[in-house]
Amino acid sequence: MTDHEKGELTYSRPESDKLYWKSYYKNLLLLAYQSFGVVYGDLATSPLYVYKSTFSGRLRDFQDEETIFGAFSLIFWTFTMLPFLKYVFIVLSADDNGEGGTFALYSLLCRHAKFSMLPNQQAADEELSTYYRPGYASRSMASSPFKRFLEKHKKIRTTLLLVVLFGACMVIGDGVLTPAISVLSSISGLQVRAQGLSDAVVVLISCIVLVGLFALQHHGTHRVAFLFAPIVIVWLLCIGIIGLYNTIHWNPRIYQAISPFYMIKFFKKTGKDGWLSLGGILLCITGSEAMFADLGHFTSISIRVAFASVIYPCMVLQYMGQAAYLTNNVSLIPISFYGSIPKPVFWPVFMVSTLAAIVASQAVISATFSIVKQCLALGCFPRVKVVHTSRWIYGQIYIPEINWILMVLCLSVTIGFRDTNLIGNAYGIACIVVMFVTSCLMALVIIFVWQRNVIFAVLFLVLFGFIEGAYLSSSIVKVPQGGWVPLALAFVFMIIMYVWHYGTRSKYLFDVQNKVSMKWILTLGPSLGIVRVPGIGLIYTELVTGVPSIFSHFVTNLPAFHQVLVFVCVKSVPVPYVPPDERYLIGRIGPRSYRMYRCIIRYGYKDVQKDDYNFEDHLVMSIAEFIHMEAENSRSSSSPDVSVEGKLAVIRTSERHSGLVAREANAEITRASASARSSKSETLQSLQSLYEQESPSLVRRRTVQFELAQSQQMDPQVREELAALVEAKEAGVAYVLGHSYVKARKNSSFINKFVIDAAYSFLRKNCRGPAVALNIPHISLIEVGMIYYV
């Protein structure tokens, strides 16, 4: 996503500085306003349950004014040190081309050090405009001994990937727990006014709200997203004003608790019980990671402005007001938030709190979809259906399988626990683990990306790692009281991710070891030793070099292939987005007379591969552009656009000079033209026409007819090759895909056999097939069965 698409001002400065700054601040305030509904919903709803969870354990024996002052002091400094100092001032600066989150940090590390575990990476990827950001270290920087040590050991790189995936699994757990605790805490406010309302009824109402929330996910949030920011802003103003009122009305001396001295008094008095209560204090910062994770939709300055100007003061006032209220109403700690609301405004605040809880849940669910999509791009998650829900807002996606899994798990947690204290124990562990993973990755970013002294990284890790470690140690003690839920979810998802990554990588290594040598291809001659039939054959492979074994397997059993062969590789690159102009890499395999090409299509970890019904047209134009570029390159000594390694060229979609002209043609004329040149019999042609009538998706395809440009200066060989390409395109395009069966070798260990033959095979059978994931039309699909012994 470009800065312009996110709303950042990138245009040149107008003549008047006054107009420039006016427009700048207008867009800045607009982005800051929009960030409230997406970024801060989770963080803003924390006051619903923080004090209740803090005093739910052994701290019940210390319910007095001094302890409440100490609890507020802990909340204030925790909220100041972690969200404000760590995220707002430091972590937001570590963006990856405007993107944030743990995957952004991992991506930065993989590009500035050889940590990546992605297969099929190549030197040409480093030439992407989004690969290195101005101001960051480049690959030309000298390598330190520490960097060489980490790059040398594969186990360390694997451990780093597992840490990132563990953090991702905790975010998925957050997607289960946030809706449960937010909605249940909000609905439980009914019991304050309707005291006869049982817990079972509250749980039932919460479940109905949750089912409705997940059921509406497939519509996307863009239709109601404009309501999110006003709801959160109204909610923040409400709790801020109520907090100020409670402070003045109940105990104005509460402001003294801002002094760290009260934290020391708190721990001296409560001892171990106070340390155990940190799990409740921790809930005041849940949702802080969203400031960094959702950076891609906004800008760092807009998120900072929103936090400093509204979030921080309103939240501090609310926690201060609740503490002031509790010093005079200690017995009402279980209903501290709703009890502190003045009676005349109770019901309006209750309605706003319910809406705010729904907004917070919606934001976390959307973030979970994004995390799964990024795991999918890393090759660490089974193929699932990714739906782009908005034409205008880039990055809004919906994953049906994950949505229903989250709903079942969320309902199970809500019905199983029925208590926000137990859910809070689980919620706290999930959030603090994600924060701790971010701190560890940030320390590496400071060293390898920012090229700062190791001392700065150590200071960062010691300061924030100590605080987060204290909270983590307190939360782990509560594993038996609900804290086991995120750990169990993370364990299950980690097994799924590891099994899928291991099986996929083993399959790729088998392809590399068994690829067909170029010497064998050259010995076959231009006809490849087979019959060359009209049309274009697209052979899908994960290899970026060489010819896959699927090709030899196919021609061995069916000695016929298309007159134009294109080996297509769709791969992920460790960058958030690949510009469309740099997406296609085209090269040639063998001599010109063989009519064999290689096409590598590159996507970033946040790119959405939308259904592109013009892929064939783009591919033909890209190959034609490559042929034209290759001819020009042969006349000159060198060309900056052609990669020497593998002789691959970056084919830009703008300003083409391919020698071909694409015109929209009448479907009937095109079909007649294709039938005249096709080798298909009348029976096959009638079957194809019948299939097209029964497939509504094919009707949406734009019918394009290619013609040679009328140029007298075109090289005869280029004209001949382009004519053959146009003729093959009109004859039809076939997609050749491997239908692989992965099995463990006979001499493999029992664990390897179980992982491959049982776990990996189960995941492959129950996930989307590669043909569906790549949007390949079934009428043109040819699957070649192969057994992979890994």
Side-chain angles (χ1 to χ4, degrees):
M1 181 185 294
T2 63
D3 286 339
H4 178 69
E5 288 172 322
K6 291 190 297 183
E8 175 116 14
L9 293 174
T10 57
Y11 49 79
S12 60
R13 176 174 293 194
E15 296 179 359
S16 171
D17 286 344
K18 185 177 181 181
L19 290 176
Y20 169 79
W21 289 113
K22 183 179 180 181
S23 298
Y24 176 83
Y25 287 123
K26 181 180 178 181
N27 281 271
L28 174 61
L29 293 176
L30 178 61
L31 286 174
Y33 165 78
Q34 293 173 342
S35 69
F36 286 105
V38 177
V39 177
Y40 294 115
D42 191 6
L43 188 64
T45 54
S46 298
L48 288 169
Y49 40 77
V50 170
Y51 281 106
K52 178 184 177 182
S53 299
T54 301
F55 288 91
S56 63
R58 297 181 182 179
L59 221 60
R60 291 175 181 171
D61 300 330
F62 301 92
Q63 294 181 357
D64 52 41
E65 181 177 293
E66 185 179 0
T67 307
I68 293 172
F69 270 49
F72 169 67
S73 185
L74 277 168
I75 291 173
F76 174 79
W77 284 106
T78 302
F79 199 79
T80 301
M81 291 297 295
L82 293 181
F84 204 2
L85 182 59
K86 174 187 170 182
Y87 280 96
V88 171
F89 279 97
I90 301 176
V91 177
L92 282 178
S93 301
D95 64 295
D96 180 13
N97 292 285
E99 293 298 322
T102 53
F103 278 98
L105 297 177
Y106 180 69
S107 175
L108 282 174
L109 291 172
C110 289
R111 301 207 301 272
H112 294 83
K114 298 178 182 178
F115 294 155
S116 178
M117 298 295 290
L118 282 172
N120 62 29
Q121 299 302 292
Q122 54 191 148
D125 297 337
E126 298 184 8
E127 303 301 326
L128 288 168
S129 60
T130 54
Y131 204 86
Y132 292 105
R133 177 183 170 183
Y136 281 7
S138 66
R139 59 187 179 280
S140 60
M141 296 292 292
S143 178
S144 65
F146 181 51
K147 179 180 177 182
R148 290 194 297 268
F149 172 78
L150 295 179
E151 292 176 342
K152 181 180 178 181
H153 294 81
K154 183 181 177 182
K155 290 183 178 179
I156 295 179
R157 292 186 285 122
T158 304
T159 302
L160 181 63
L161 176 63
L162 291 176
V163 168
V164 174
L165 294 179
F166 185 67
C169 291
M170 283 298 180
V171 174
I172 296 174
D174 196 9
V176 173
L177 298 169
T178 298
I181 191 171
S182 298
V183 174
L184 187 59
S185 298
S186 177
I187 300 299
S188 63
L190 290 172
Q191 293 178 308
V192 176
R193 290 292 179 264
Q195 297 181 357
L197 198 65
S198 65
D199 291 341
V201 176
V202 171
V203 171
L204 177 61
I205 297 174
S206 301
C207 289
I208 294 173
V209 174
L210 290 171
V211 170
L213 176 65
F214 284 100
L216 294 175
Q217 289 299 311
H218 70 280
H219 292 295
T221 60
H222 60 280
R223 292 185 176 89
V224 293
F226 68 95
L227 291 174
F228 287 178
I231 288 172
V232 176
I233 291 175
V234 170
W235 164 253
L236 287 167
L237 293 177
C238 284
I239 63 175
I241 294 172
I242 291 173
L244 181 61
Y245 167 80
N246 286 332
T247 300
I248 298 173
H249 183 264
W250 293 104
N251 194 345
R253 293 186 302 107
I254 189 65
Y255 78 91
Q256 298 174 0
I258 293 177
S259 170
F261 175 70
Y262 283 87
M263 287 194 296
I264 300 174
K265 292 179 64 177
F266 175 84
F267 284 115
K268 280 185 177 180
K269 181 177 182 179
T270 59
K272 182 181 177 182
D273 295 333
W275 170 67
L276 291 175
S277 70
L278 289 178
I281 302 291
L282 167 64
L283 297 179
C284 73
I285 57 174
T286 54
S288 300
E289 185 71 20
M291 283 192 287
F292 185 47
D294 294 327
L295 181 59
H297 298 287
F298 306 97
T299 58
S300 58
I301 185 65
S302 64
I303 292 178
R304 286 169 173 149
V305 167
F307 186 89
S309 62
V310 179
I311 297 293
Y312 188 76
C314 287
M315 297 295 286
V316 170
L317 285 174
Q318 167 57 209
Y319 288 121
M320 184 185 295
Q322 269 198 66
Y325 172 80
L326 291 177
T327 56
N328 290 274
N329 301 273
V330 175
S331 61
L332 298 180
I333 284 179
I335 57 169
S336 59
F337 176 78
Y338 285 110
S340 66
I341 299 174
K343 290 184 179 180
V345 296
F346 176 84
W347 288 111
V349 173
F350 171 77
M351 294 300 298
V352 175
S353 70
T354 304
L355 293 174
I358 293 174
V359 171
S361 304
Q362 174 62 59
V364 173
I365 294 169
S366 300
T368 305
F369 293 156
S370 297
I371 285 290
V372 172
K373 168 66 177 63
Q374 293 168 21
C375 292
L376 185 64
L378 281 174
C380 297
F381 205 87
R383 290 181 295 267
V384 291
K385 183 178 182 180
V386 179
V387 180
H388 196 71
T389 59
S390 174
R391 295 181 180 179
W392 302 277
I393 305 176
Y394 195 91
Q396 285 199 357
I397 59 175
Y398 165 69
I399 304 177
E401 298 92 334
I402 300 301
N403 182 65
W404 303 124
I405 291 174
L406 288 179
M407 187 189 76
V408 171
L409 293 175
C410 187
L411 292 176
S412 301
V413 168
T414 305
I415 297 172
F417 286 152
R418 299 188 174 197
D419 185 0
T420 55
N421 292 328
L422 295 176
I423 302 176
N425 294 338
Y427 189 29
I429 289 181
C431 293
I432 197 62
V433 166
V434 176
M435 291 184 180
F436 191 75
V437 168
T438 300
S439 295
C440 295
L441 293 177
M442 267 302 302
L444 295 176
V445 167
I446 292 172
I447 298 173
F448 298 124
V449 181
W450 291 354
Q451 291 291 317
R452 304 298 183 190
N453 195 294
V454 178
I455 296 176
F456 291 100
V458 173
L459 290 175
F460 177 88
L461 195 58
V462 169
L463 175 60
F464 298 109
F466 173 77
I467 298 173
E468 293 163 353
Y471 281 109
L472 183 61
S473 63
S474 173
S475 300
I476 288 177
V477 176
K478 297 184 178 181
V479 167
Q481 289 84 37
W484 57 270
V485 172
L487 297 177
L489 291 175
F491 179 73
V492 172
F493 279 104
M494 279 290 290
I495 290 178
I496 293 174
M497 291 180 180
Y498 176 78
V499 167
W500 186 263
H501 178 74
Y502 177 77
T504 303
R505 191 168 182 84
S506 299
K507 180 176 175 293
Y508 173 78
L509 293 176
F510 180 89
D511 272 332
V512 172
Q513 296 168 359
N514 294 273
K515 63 182 179 182
V516 179
S517 65
M518 187 55 61
K519 182 179 179 181
W520 181 76
I521 295 292
L522 295 175
T523 56
L524 297 177
S527 67
L528 302 181
I530 57 179
V531 177
R532 302 295 291 268
V533 299
I536 298 178
L538 304 182
I539 305 169
Y540 278 81
T541 174
E542 295 181 0
L543 298 179
V544 295
T545 59
V547 177
S549 56
I550 182 180
F551 176 75
S552 61
H553 190 70
F554 184 90
V555 299
T556 301
N557 293 276
L558 184 63
F561 233 117
H562 302 83
Q563 66 188 86
V564 174
L565 296 178
V566 184
F567 294 88
V568 180
C569 174
V570 180
K571 72 169 191 174
S572 294
V573 184
V575 297
Y577 304 99
V578 175
D581 276 356
E582 303 175 38
R583 182 153 290 161
Y584 284 81
L585 274 177
I586 303 292
R588 187 186 295 278
I589 298 178
R592 184 190 298 269
S593 58
Y594 282 39
R595 303 289 191 262
M596 296 173 64
Y597 309 93
R598 183 183 305 283
C599 174
I600 299 175
I601 309 171
R602 302 176 292 186
Y603 287 95
Y605 60 84
K606 282 220 166 184
D607 275 322
V608 177
Q609 301 180 30
K610 292 183 283 190
D611 296 343
D612 189 358
Y613 295 104
N614 303 318
F615 166 70
E616 298 172 4
D617 302 330
H618 288 314
L619 182 63
V620 170
M621 290 297 288
S622 298
I623 294 175
E625 175 70 17
F626 169 77
I627 296 170
H628 187 80
M629 186 184 300
E630 186 185 44
E632 291 184 348
N633 183 48
S634 63
R635 301 191 193 102
S636 59
S637 58
S638 63
S639 175
D641 290 327
V642 180
S643 174
V644 176
E645 182 181 352
K647 296 182 179 180
L648 294 171
V650 178
I651 305 301
R652 306 187 183 278
T653 56
S654 59
E655 300 180 2
R656 290 185 182 275
H657 303 284
S658 59
L660 291 185
V661 178
R663 294 191 176 91
E664 292 193 25
N666 183 281
E668 296 297 332
I669 298 175
T670 304
R671 189 179 295 111
S673 175
S675 300
R677 299 190 180 206
S678 176
S679 61
K680 295 179 181 178
S681 65
E682 293 183 2
T683 303
L684 292 178
Q685 292 175 15
S686 63
L687 287 174
Q688 180 174 354
S689 299
L690 181 62
Y691 182 86
E692 291 176 352
Q693 293 174 4
E694 295 177 352
S695 302
S697 61
L698 295 177
V699 179
R700 290 182 286 175
R701 293 196 177 197
R702 185 167 61 99
T703 307
V704 174
Q705 189 172 13
F706 292 98
E707 297 177 358
L708 287 175
Q710 299 299 323
S711 175
Q712 301 296 331
Q713 299 179 350
M714 188 180 298
D715 185 276
Q717 289 186 332
V718 173
R719 179 177 291 275
E720 179 186 356
E721 191 168 5
L722 290 177
L725 181 64
V726 172
E727 181 181 355
K729 172 62 172 67
E730 292 185 356
V733 179
Y735 297 77
V736 181
L737 195 66
H739 190 85
S740 54
Y741 299 89
V742 183
K743 296 183 178 296
R745 295 175 181 172
K746 293 182 179 180
N747 58 350
S748 299
S749 63
F750 171 78
I751 296 178
N752 187 63
K753 289 182 179 178
F754 175 80
V755 169
I756 296 297
D757 294 341
Y760 183 65
S761 297
F762 174 81
L763 292 176
R764 281 175 58 89
K765 291 177 182 177
N766 291 277
C767 73
R768 299 185 92 210
V772 179
L774 295 169
N775 303 311
I776 296 176
H778 292 288
I779 188 175
S780 306
L781 176 62
I782 302 172
E783 290 191 292
V784 181
M786 277 195 65
I787 298 179
Y788 287 72
Y789 289 101
V790 298

